[in-house]
Amino acid sequence: MRTQLKGLAAAGCLLCLAALVAADVYADSPPGPREVENWRKSTCAPGEQEVVCRWIARECEPYQNDPAYYIAARLKYETRYCKSVRASPSCNLGEGKVVMDPNPGRHALDVLERYRQTRQLVFLRDGPRDADRTAYWIKYPRREDGMRKGRSYCAEDAGVKREMFWAAQLDRAERACRQKAEAAVPKPKLEACAPGDEPVQCGLILDGDCGYEENNQYYSIDWQRRSYCRMTSDHFQERRRMDAEREKVYEGCLAADKAKLTPPTGPVSQLPHRDVLALSAGVLALAGLGIMLLWKLRRSA
Amino acid sequence: MTLPIGWLSAFSLTLGVEAAVGAALGFRRPRELAAIAAANLVSHPGFYALALRCAVSWGTQAYLVRLPLLEGGVAVLETALLKYALPRRTWPEVAAVSVLANAASCVAGLSLLY
């Protein structure tokens, strides 16, 4: 009786495990806006062959193993591959100083984040920012790529280069829009406090009185000497109005530019039932085999 | 068959590390090593599927919360399975093997990946 109960409990645990896997894999939350955005903008270059495959499917194997294909985007269970039409130039392994971009912009960070998510770390080589020409270095941590840990690879990966090119385009657009906004609503350059504003001298860094710049009512006229001015209420309102106006110009410009840059959207699909069932069945079968072995070991004890 | 091959390589790594840790902690007899292997056969496929599922969110908060939870669950499950297969071993012994071996295999896996 006790043995039967134990058997039932073990079977129950196995079913729970399989159900957990199935539920986790299948009943998943929809991809976030950022993932979808990355997926959408990562279309293949003109003339390139596009393949969408699921990580669970056999048909992914050729693309993963063929260097002609590069990963353009990864969204949950799907990976979009593009077949590179260009031959890869030789990659000078181990050469060059590999450093993080000393001053990554927001979009560069987005790119880094994306590659972190896809288990690839991207390092930008210190040098010219022209993404189309600069050699990027990529450290492939994935063992299935047949590469060893700890080596940095010259990223003549069209996916990376294209993504960086995209980031650079956005960076340029962002900078241009920022300049446009500054030109439309210029910031006042103050070397002394404006009439009515109260001069404030800040003390030591840690004296607790120096958080002025965090408060919009203060502005710095010499941050090295920690000289601030406290605006009058009218000045403060005016400054906020100008800031809002500038931001409005900037956002409008950037939205228009981004709309021009954004490639067409692509379909987003989820993992089919049969793959989930196959995965769960596989997990269940292996777990069952393990339980049987454990049972035999116990019996022979 | 990308997924089974990926799992097989991950399983081999886990098994190697866990067997080494188990042996270091005194689980050297063939049946004890076999028990470690069998316990892993039960826990590893599910763990792998769940861990792989969230691999796309690597580095995010969700993953950082999820991985230790998964590892903890696996360690508890393996402790119970080892105790079942090796009744002469005490709970602290099997728990030590399970926790340390899983921690070591996790570190080994992550260090290979990153």
Side-chain angles (χ1 to χ4, degrees):
Chain A
M1 182 67 184
R2 206 175 159 193
T3 312
Q4 280 178 336
L5 277 176
K6 280 184 179 174
L8 273 175
C13 284
L14 285 183
L15 283 175
C16 280
L17 182 68
L20 183 67
V21 171
D24 186 83
V25 172
Y26 184 66
D28 195 16
S29 57
R34 195 175 180 181
E35 282 177 294
V36 173
E37 178 67 16
N38 279 337
W39 177 263
R40 282 177 176 167
K41 73 188 179 193
S42 299
T43 51
C44 295
E48 289 184 357
Q49 183 188 346
E50 180 180 293
V51 182
V52 179
C53 74
R54 300 187 175 93
W55 58 259
I56 203 170
R58 296 173 192 206
E59 58 263 31
C60 287
E61 197 177 4
Y63 313 120
Q64 283 179 344
N65 295 335
D66 188 344
Y69 286 87
Y70 64 87
I71 294 176
R74 188 171 289 176
L75 178 72
K76 295 223 172 265
Y77 309 108
E78 291 187 343
T79 304
R80 181 178 281 167
Y81 290 90
C82 299
K83 187 172 187 180
S84 176
V85 288
R86 289 176 301 176
S88 292
S90 62
C91 175
N92 302 315
L93 289 178
E95 183 199 278
K97 194 171 76 173
V98 181
V99 293
M100 291 293 288
D101 186 345
N103 186 22
R106 187 156 57 89
H107 298 294
L109 281 176
D110 283 350
V111 172
L112 288 176
E113 178 59 24
R114 172 173 162 208
Y115 279 90
R116 201 168 12 250
Q117 286 180 4
T118 55
R119 301 195 296 160
Q120 295 174 0
L121 295 175
V122 177
F123 297 90
L124 298 186
R125 197 173 69 172
D126 197 8
R129 293 295 307 274
D130 186 344
D132 207 26
R133 293 183 189 168
T134 308
Y136 292 107
W137 294 78
I138 188 163
K139 179 181 169 186
Y140 279 95
R142 297 187 308 151
R143 297 188 71 213
E144 57 264 33
D145 287 331
M147 297 174 182
R148 298 178 73 88
K149 178 215 164 201
R151 292 176 70 176
S152 294
Y153 290 85
C154 185
E156 187 43 40
D157 177 322
V160 174
K161 289 193 76 174
R162 205 160 49 78
E163 187 65 19
M164 291 298 179
F165 183 62
W166 165 258
Q169 279 183 306
L170 282 178
D171 269 348
R172 271 198 290 275
E174 197 173 43
R175 273 200 302 273
C177 288
R178 185 65 71 190
Q179 282 169 2
K180 196 174 170 182
E182 297 286 347
V185 189
K187 273 184 183 170
K189 285 184 179 173
L190 297 170
E191 290 174 356
C193 293
D197 291 355
E198 179 193 351
V200 179
Q201 194 71 34
C202 180
L204 293 170
I205 291 173
L206 297 175
D207 69 357
D209 294 331
C210 290
Y212 295 128
E213 279 182 307
E214 290 166 17
N215 182 334
N216 288 333
Q217 272 189 296
Y218 292 86
Y219 59 90
S220 168
I221 50 172
D222 187 344
W223 64 268
Q224 279 180 316
R225 293 183 184 178
R226 314 189 69 72
S227 300
Y228 293 85
C229 301
R230 187 180 191 279
M231 284 180 266
T232 62
S233 179
D234 287 350
H235 284 170
F236 180 53
Q237 293 303 328
E238 176 64 8
R239 179 73 70 96
R240 286 189 68 174
R241 190 189 62 73
M242 287 171 73
D243 283 349
E245 210 172 308
R246 198 177 299 110
E247 203 57 25
K248 206 171 156 187
V249 173
Y250 167 74
E251 293 289 348
C253 168
L254 192 61
D257 279 4
K258 273 180 96 169
K260 273 186 272 176
L261 291 171
T262 306
T265 58
V268 176
S269 59
Q270 292 291 317
L271 201 64
H273 295 272
R274 65 180 172 83
D275 288 347
V276 178
L277 287 176
L279 184 67
S280 303
V283 169
L284 197 61
L286 287 167
L289 184 64
I291 289 278
M292 262 182 59
L293 285 172
L294 285 166
W295 179 67
K296 289 205 170 209
L297 282 167
R298 185 179 169 96
R299 282 194 63 182
S300 67
Chain B
M1 294 288 280
T2 309
L3 190 68
I5 289 172
W7 173 75
L8 211 56
S9 58
F11 182 66
S12 309
L13 172 76
T14 303
L15 206 55
V17 173
E18 293 206 15
V21 172
L25 292 172
F27 284 57
R28 294 194 188 94
R29 286 190 301 160
R31 64 184 312 276
E32 289 172 332
L33 292 172
I36 290 175
N40 270 289
L41 201 56
V42 176
S43 65
H44 197 272
F47 169 79
Y48 185 75
L50 294 175
L52 193 67
R53 222 292 284 128
C54 56
V56 285
S57 58
W58 169 255
T60 62
Q61 207 174 1
Y63 194 90
L64 293 175
V65 170
R66 192 175 184 135
L67 193 65
L69 275 178
L70 278 175
E71 276 292 345
V74 165
V76 170
L77 179 66
E78 282 188 18
T79 302
L81 293 172
L82 282 177
K83 179 64 184 148
Y84 169 77
L86 307 169
R88 286 179 193 166
R89 287 285 186 175
T90 62
W91 277 103
E93 282 175 331
V94 290
V97 168
S98 176
V99 170
L100 289 175
N102 274 293
S105 72
C106 184
V107 170
L110 290 178
S111 66
L112 272 179
L113 280 173
Y114 297 96

